[in-house]
Amino acid sequence: MRSITWSFSRAGSGFTMASVTEIHQLLERIERDHGVRIIHACESGSRAWGFASPDSDYDIRFIFVKDADSYLSVQEGLESIDLPLEGELDAGGWDVRKAVRLLGKSNGALVEWLHSPVIYRSEPGLRERWQEVAREVFSPRASSDHYRGLAKQMLFSKLDTDAVRAKDYLYALRAVLAAKWVADGKGIPPVLFATMVPTAPQAIQDLIPGLLEHKARTTEGERMPRIQALDEFLRDFLNASVTLDQGPRDITALDRLLRFEINRPVSILKPDDFTLERVRQPDLLLLDTVAGSHAYGTAIDGSDEDRRGVFVAPRSFLSGLDGIEQVADERNDQVYYELGHFVSLLLRNNPNALELLAMPEDCVRHSHPLFKLLDPQIFLSKLCAKTFGEYAMGQIRKARGLNKKIVNPQPEERLTMLSFCHVPEGQGSLPVLEWLSLKGLDPTRCGITGVQHAAGIFAIYHDPGTAYRGLVSPKDADALVFSSVAVKAEPIGWMHFNQDAFRAHCKAHREYWEWVSQRNEERYTTNVEHGRGYDSKNLMHTLRLLDMAGEIAREGVLRIRRPNRDQLLRIRAGEFSYEELVEKAEEQLVEVTRAFEKSSLPDHPDRDRVNRLLVEIREGF
């Protein structure tokens, strides 16, 4: 849950919707960068107290929770997050375990976070739970010591010169009034300064509006003359001795609160929640790498940057009814596999999956330590002979497919159904619309019927006195429409509808224009310029795959960055004929097949070992 509670003192708080949006974005980035969940975030400092200056920073404070398993480790792990100042945003927070410990000491800063009038984010019921425990374990002595210490720090380090800042007076005065609130037995002091002002002597109350007005209209560094009455009030209060109760020592409530926050169930992700942005967040991401030509070493100017990765779906999701295999963009330029699906691809020696196990270091953007457990030697087997070979020959088929598209472009407008309807005429035939036009007949005034035992043949009728339905259905331009015909009516001709040719045209037209909309223009231009009539990049990948397969068979290694870059780029540039490359690929495939027959690699990966490895990674992530 995210909420913002506006609280304006007489001095004004200076919040804008733009600043709140920036704060929410900052909190989301902190979660992504540190792999934590922020359960409470608020404003602290002068903006929460009600006397901000025009140039006051936003003091954003938060409590975060890590993965539940991290609290079972002997190592302390991340206890606090402190970020450098970003413009006006000053953010910092504590881990929930540290926060609960400080709550047990009635830490003044933490208690104020829980009672801040400005909340940026807080999970349902959290403030109520923590405030209740804060009251239960409240130590008047610890709270008083905290505020008296703050006041002394201001008095003896900031208020010891002839000219002082209104800010320092207000900070010291607020701390003294908070300590007085505790000493008077009122419990936890309020965050808003205005609530405590009535507890001050009237003479001091009369000075406060002037201090607030000065701070509200000036910058933080502007100074003012000392105020003797205020100096005396602060010193007299701090010099007076006070004896307060230590408070309860039972930590049962604290333990209960900590266990609840750590084990509190979070919302279960749905399949639609797994977007590219979401799976790249640290709490899910196992691997993120640049792939494709940049990894192979065959990138040229204008080459796209493909991304591949692996993510781990949360246990809560995997325990439910839904499942997910991968997340990708429309063109499959960015593909992230869920760990279970990724491992199943590795078991089958899928080339796209295997290459992620040995990506060049300069391509890897993120790699979780657990990903290193997926050693290529665990997966490489004789299955690669089939998977790499079939994939390579598939690239040849793709290259041939492009040849067909280049040589046989489709018109922008698809041909109509009637373009495939012809009427026998003499020793040949005429398109039905042309035949009717020669006879001076309106197609919409004609009718057709099917002919028994003659599939694809239709009788054509025309009678000025009969209202026939025409040839084409008004509801579907790709369907014929039939008319009721009198028993004695005579056909004026016979029409043949080549339905198979029409369907083939529709399919070719759809596929061609889908290809046009999705094609890589730089790649297409290269293929047109070299004029070979095939997709040279597909054939480059064919030979690259066969090279890699040979290395796997003979050396047992995955070599992603190709040593023969220049040769591959010559293929991509179209320096060889289609026939030359196909012949070379077929010869190389035979050699690779023989190499695998002699290889010492296992027939297939050890499924039980891989299964144990998958469980180990899921448990450890």
Side-chain angles (χ1 to χ4, degrees):
M1 181 191 77
R2 297 183 185 182
S3 60
I4 179 71
T5 303
W6 301 100
S7 175
F8 296 96
S9 70
R10 284 176 293 177
S13 62
F15 284 93
T16 65
M17 288 309 299
S19 63
V20 173
T21 299
E22 287 183 29
I23 291 168
H24 283 164
Q25 291 172 346
L26 174 61
L27 294 173
E28 291 170 357
R29 192 173 80 242
I30 291 170
E31 289 183 313
R32 290 195 303 269
D33 292 348
H34 295 274
V36 299
R37 177 167 54 94
I38 294 176
I39 59 176
H40 179 75
C42 67
E43 181 66 26
S44 180
S46 61
R47 290 185 184 275
W49 299 336
F51 50 74
S53 299
D55 59 344
S56 290
D57 294 333
Y58 292 89
D59 296 316
I60 305 151
R61 300 295 178 260
F62 55 87
I63 302 170
F64 63 87
V65 175
K66 299 172 292 191
D67 182 83
D69 287 346
S70 68
Y71 295 100
L72 302 177
S73 173
V74 295
Q75 296 180 333
E76 286 293 333
L78 185 67
E79 282 204 325
S80 62
I81 297 174
D82 298 296
L83 302 180
L85 188 67
E86 296 186 18
E88 294 182 327
L89 306 186
D90 179 8
W94 291 328
D95 170 58
V96 66
R97 180 159 55 187
K98 178 177 181 178
V100 170
R101 288 173 179 165
L102 292 174
L103 186 63
K105 300 176 182 179
S106 293
N107 177 274
L110 177 66
V111 173
E112 287 191 12
W113 297 2
L114 302 175
H115 294 81
S116 173
V118 182
I119 304 299
Y120 299 118
R121 180 193 298 189
S122 193
E123 293 191 350
L126 182 140
R127 285 218 298 171
E128 291 75 12
R129 288 193 302 275
W130 284 65
Q131 287 176 3
E132 180 181 354
V133 175
R135 291 190 294 271
E136 192 173 336
V137 301
F138 182 64
S139 169
R141 183 190 302 173
S143 181
S144 175
D145 288 348
H146 168 77
Y147 287 109
R148 290 174 70 89
L150 288 178
K152 288 179 180 179
Q153 181 182 358
M154 299 305 300
L155 186 63
F156 299 123
S157 65
K158 302 288 186 180
L159 297 173
D160 59 348
T161 58
D162 292 337
V164 297
R165 299 185 303 176
K167 169 184 176 177
D168 297 331
Y169 262 141
L170 288 169
Y171 275 43
L173 182 56
R174 181 185 178 276
V176 162
L177 294 182
K180 184 177 185 301
W181 186 282
V182 176
D184 290 344
K186 296 181 179 180
I188 296 173
V191 175
L192 276 174
F193 178 58
T195 307
M196 296 185 289
V197 168
T199 66
Q202 188 60 51
I204 301 302
Q205 291 186 43
D206 293 342
L207 296 173
I208 291 174
L211 290 173
L212 292 174
E213 190 275 335
H214 186 278
K215 188 173 189 299
R217 65 177 171 79
T218 62
T219 60
E220 295 259 331
E222 191 163 332
R223 296 183 176 271
M224 59 181 291
R226 296 278 293 272
I227 302 175
Q228 183 177 353
L230 189 52
D231 291 338
E232 291 175 355
F233 171 73
L234 294 174
R235 283 195 172 86
D236 289 346
F237 181 86
L238 293 175
N239 288 332
S241 61
V242 59
T243 302
L244 295 172
D245 181 41
Q246 176 63 35
R249 297 179 180 275
D250 187 4
I251 64 170
T252 302
L254 297 170
D255 284 340
R256 184 175 63 248
L257 179 64
L258 177 60
R259 285 193 292 267
F260 181 88
E261 299 301 346
I262 291 174
N263 298 317
R264 184 173 183 270
V266 296
S267 59
I268 299 175
L269 292 174
K270 301 183 292 296
D272 290 345
D273 294 329
F274 290 94
T275 61
L276 286 170
E277 180 182 4
R278 182 67 184 90
V279 300
R280 288 190 184 118
Q281 294 180 15
D283 62 324
L284 299 184
L285 191 61
L286 195 64
L287 174 75
D288 187 13
T289 182
V290 175
S293 59
H294 290 276
Y296 307 139
T298 57
I300 59 175
D301 290 342
S303 290
D304 293 334
E305 183 179 276
D306 296 336
R307 295 293 280 269
R308 296 291 182 269
V310 182
F311 68 95
V312 182
R315 294 179 195 172
S316 57
F317 175 82
L318 296 173
S319 300
L321 297 174
D322 294 316
I324 189 167
E325 291 189 348
Q326 65 184 48
V327 178
D329 62 5
E330 291 182 358
R331 294 167 59 99
N332 281 330
D333 290 337
Q334 302 180 68
V335 181
Y336 290 76
Y337 305 102
E338 203 286 317
L339 176 62
H341 179 56
F342 178 65
V343 170
S344 71
L345 293 175
L346 292 175
L347 268 177
R348 299 196 295 270
N349 281 189
N350 177 281
N352 287 331
L354 281 174
E355 69 179 32
L356 297 187
L357 302 183
M359 297 301 286
E361 290 186 6
D362 60 316
C363 290
V364 177
R365 298 293 179 261
H366 171 83
S367 181
H368 192 282
L370 287 170
F371 188 77
K372 292 181 174 60
L373 296 178
L374 298 172
D375 189 328
Q377 299 305 315
I378 298 173
F379 298 97
L380 292 179
S381 75
K382 291 183 178 179
L383 290 178
C384 290
K386 184 173 186 293
T387 57
F388 276 75
E390 287 184 352
Y391 195 8
M393 302 317 287
Q395 296 297 317
I396 290 179
R397 289 191 292 272
K398 282 186 178 181
R400 285 174 176 158
L402 177 69
N403 183 43
K404 291 179 181 178
K405 289 182 172 65
I406 292 175
V407 176
N408 301 297
Q410 294 290 318
E412 289 191 28
E413 292 293 331
R414 197 193 70 185
L415 299 179
T416 66
M417 176 185 63
L418 292 182
S419 299
F420 295 83
C421 296
H422 290 74
V423 177
E425 184 74 16
Q427 294 184 353
S429 66
L430 290 175
V432 65
L433 293 179
E434 182 181 342
W435 184 81
L436 290 172
S437 177
L438 290 173
K439 292 183 174 295
L441 299 178
D442 181 355
T444 63
R445 305 285 297 174
C446 297
I448 58 173
T449 62
V451 179
Q452 286 186 341
H453 311 300
I457 302 296
F458 303 89
I460 306 173
Y461 298 87
H462 182 269
D463 181 356
T466 303
Y468 289 119
R469 301 175 66 189
L471 308 182
V472 180
S473 169
K475 296 181 179 179
D476 184 357
D478 293 340
L480 296 173
V481 64
F482 301 106
S483 298
S484 297
V485 178
V487 174
K488 295 183 179 181
E490 292 291 332
I492 63 171
W494 308 91
M495 179 183 80
H496 175 255
F497 174 31
N498 191 340
Q499 191 171 27
D500 290 341
F502 177 56
R503 287 174 176 169
H505 167 70
C506 291
K507 181 174 183 290
H509 185 275
R510 181 181 67 254
E511 291 178 349
Y512 176 82
W513 287 103
E514 284 178 354
W515 168 74
V516 169
S517 67
Q518 297 175 6
R519 71 189 178 194
N520 182 307
E521 289 300 326
E522 174 269 327
R523 181 172 177 175
Y524 175 71
T525 301
T526 298
N527 291 322
V528 171
E529 287 177 350
H530 66 58
R532 294 285 188 174
Y534 65 84
D535 189 336
S536 55
K537 188 173 181 180
N538 281 128
L539 284 173
M540 177 188 72
H541 286 311
T542 295
L543 296 172
R544 174 187 62 79
L545 285 162
L546 292 172
D547 286 342
M548 291 178 64
E551 292 163 356
I552 292 170
R554 299 182 187 95
E555 305 173 51
V557 298
L558 267 174
R559 191 170 289 120
I560 309 304
R561 183 67 50 78
R562 303 312 304 152
N564 59 336
R565 176 180 186 272
D566 292 342
Q567 175 70 7
L568 292 174
L569 289 180
R570 289 181 63 200
I571 296 171
R572 179 171 182 167
E575 293 188 18
F576 305 92
S577 70
Y578 178 79
E579 290 72 21
E580 286 179 295
L581 295 175
V582 171
E583 182 180 357
K584 178 174 176 56
E586 290 173 344
E587 291 174 355
Q588 200 165 341
L589 180 60
V590 172
E591 294 175 3
V592 166
T593 302
R594 289 173 180 167
F596 272 104
E597 290 173 354
K598 300 176 182 178
S599 174
S600 60
L601 288 171
D603 291 337
H604 50 75
D606 184 337
R607 190 179 188 281
D608 290 339
R609 180 183 181 185
V610 172
N611 190 53
R612 291 194 299 270
L613 187 61
L614 173 60
V615 172
E616 181 181 353
I617 294 174
R618 286 204 188 278
E619 291 292 333
F621 189 76

